[in-house]
């Protein structure tokens, strides 16, 4: 993922210039990226992985719908 996304994630963490929905979307996207980066077994990343990382790293509770959306967005930006 580009460093631009990580700047947006950091900005979302500090709540600078993002409404709640956009903040949650960016943090969920960051969690999806971290889940993929930490996956070592070759198994597909699950929504449970994304939800766990969102909570552990960003103190953000997201549901399966948000986690699925983040995984889809990550796939679409990765090509």
């Amino acid at each position: 993922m580009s460093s631009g996304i990580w700047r947006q994630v950091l900005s979302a963490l500090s709540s600078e210039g993002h409404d709640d929905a956009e903040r949650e979307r960016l943090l969920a996207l960051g969690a999806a990226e971290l889940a993929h980066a930490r996956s070592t077994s070759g198994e597909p990343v699950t929504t449970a992985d994304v939800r766990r990382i969102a909570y552990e790293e960003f103190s953000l509770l997201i549901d399966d719908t948000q986690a699925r959306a983040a995984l889809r967005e990550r796939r679409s930006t990765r090509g």
Side-chain angles (χ1 to χ4, degrees), residues 1 5-16 18-35 49-62 66-67 69-71 73-74:
M1 187 170 275
I5 272 299
W6 288 115
R7 281 192 290 273
Q8 290 179 328
V9 168
L10 290 173
S11 175
L13 282 170
S14 65
S15 299
E16 294 175 7
H18 300 287
D19 62 21
D20 288 343
E22 180 67 1
R23 178 181 179 277
E24 286 183 7
R25 185 189 70 78
L26 288 170
L27 295 179
L29 183 57
E33 181 63 24
L34 285 174
D49 297 327
V50 176
R51 292 177 69 197
R52 178 182 46 79
I53 290 173
Y55 181 73
E56 290 174 356
E57 299 296 331
F58 305 129
S59 300
L60 177 68
L61 290 172
I62 61 173
Q66 291 168 301
L71 288 170
E73 184 174 348
R74 182 192 178 274

